[in-house]
Amino acid sequence: MKQVDLNCDMGEGFGVYHTGSDSELMKYITSANIACGFHAGDAATIRRTVKLALEHGVAIGAHPGLPDLAGFGRRVIDITPEEAYDMTVYQLGAVQAFTKSEGGTVRHVKPHGALYNMAARSRQLADAIAEAVYRVDPSLLLFGLAGSELILAGKAIGLHTINEVFADRTYESDGSLTPREIAGAVIVDAGRAAAQAVKMIKEGEVQTRQQSGFILKADTVCVHGDTPGALEHVQRLREALEAEGIAVKKAGNGA
């Protein structure tokens, strides 16, 4: 039986500002990527989201991003590999501390937004992020865009890597995600998003924006918590996976 992890970006509010429906989404996912304070999140939000994940038995992951609250971490910033390393260690440490204080364990790391896409293309940035994760805890899982430089860097240093695919995003012919500024880059139709995810898991292929097929591996599927209708998306996705006999389990050993 095929199986897949289902992850969602969470804790992406800040102070009195809240995004998404974390408490509802948490019922359907197996892994939560918790914002660490740079692109979103703050101390209270991290703690609250960690507790919510533990209550639902959801795997906890750190979701480090670029220091860009105003742009939600989705604007490219020219950083050095050393800066990428420091940002990753710093943000991972924040989520680890809150998770430990609540009696839990951080299981994975997944970069956010522009940092994620930059590391997917740049081996230097990917190596820096992978090294940061490895030095903090070599047992951590590293989530990255399927087949990307981040996956290769994680494997090279000895991390257990998890190939990630996206239900609610379109793809380019080189396997990268379509830039958000291009119309249609975010799939808002829940049925279409679910169908794309099922195809990637069962067939190992996605139809690109250029109408070509791109081969990839799907270990975990992401639904963005800030996508319009995110709750419907994750509900439809769970229904579609169950209908196809695909088990939804935590990434890694399936525990």
Side-chain angles (χ1 to χ4, degrees):
M1 176 185 290
K2 286 186 177 293
Q3 68 179 55
V4 72
D5 174 61
L6 185 54
N7 79 78
C8 188
D9 303 341
M10 298 205 155
E12 293 189 312
F14 185 81
V16 298
Y17 301 98
H18 299 281
T19 61
S21 304
D22 288 2
S23 59
E24 290 300 313
L25 289 167
M26 202 73 80
K27 300 174 183 177
Y28 299 94
I29 64 172
T30 46
S31 295
N33 319 307
I34 300 178
C36 310
F38 273 33
H39 77 276
D42 54 39
T45 304
I46 294 172
R47 178 178 56 81
R48 186 166 55 244
T49 310
V50 164
K51 291 182 69 173
L52 189 62
L54 291 172
E55 289 169 6
H56 287 82
V58 171
I60 293 171
H63 196 36
L66 294 172
D68 180 26
L69 282 173
F72 200 63
R74 287 177 174 158
R75 298 183 293 190
V76 173
I77 298 175
D78 187 17
I79 61 172
T80 66
E82 291 77 14
E83 289 171 320
Y85 176 93
D86 293 340
M87 289 177 192
T88 303
V89 172
Y90 184 96
Q91 293 177 81
L92 171 54
V95 176
Q96 274 193 324
F98 277 110
T99 303
K100 183 177 181 180
S101 73
E102 296 295 335
T105 304
V106 172
R107 184 174 170 81
H108 68 276
V109 176
K110 172 190 165 181
H112 164 82
L115 182 61
Y116 180 95
N117 291 320
M118 290 157 62
R121 297 186 300 268
S122 167
R123 184 55 184 266
Q124 288 184 316
L125 290 179
D127 282 339
I129 292 170
E131 183 181 359
V133 174
Y134 185 86
R135 287 200 179 188
V136 171
D137 183 352
S139 71
L140 287 167
L141 308 178
L142 179 61
F143 284 28
L145 184 67
S148 68
E149 292 293 343
L150 186 57
I151 292 294
L152 296 176
K155 287 182 177 179
I157 203 169
L159 291 169
H160 186 156
T161 56
I162 303 297
N163 286 275
E164 182 177 38
V165 298
F166 291 80
D168 56 5
R169 295 292 304 278
T170 60
Y171 283 76
E172 299 297 286
S173 58
D174 62 356
S176 63
L177 299 178
T178 302
R180 283 178 175 267
E181 60 267 22
I182 295 177
V186 177
I187 299 173
V188 296
D189 181 87
R192 180 185 164 200
Q196 173 168 287
V198 168
K199 178 180 175 67
M200 289 188 286
I201 297 162
K202 293 189 67 176
E203 302 177 21
E205 184 178 18
V206 66
Q207 187 79 358
T208 71
R209 189 169 63 92
Q210 292 77 22
Q211 301 304 308
S212 59
F214 185 83
I215 304 299
L216 43 64
K217 184 180 180 184
D219 299 318
T220 186
V221 180
C222 175
V223 174
H224 289 97
D226 65 327
T227 293
L231 183 57
E232 181 188 359
H233 273 246
V234 76
Q235 291 171 329
R236 291 284 294 274
L237 181 51
R238 283 297 297 253
E239 292 171 1
L241 295 174
E242 290 168 6
E244 294 291 335
I246 300 169
V248 179
K249 296 185 177 182
K250 295 177 185 177
N253 59 16

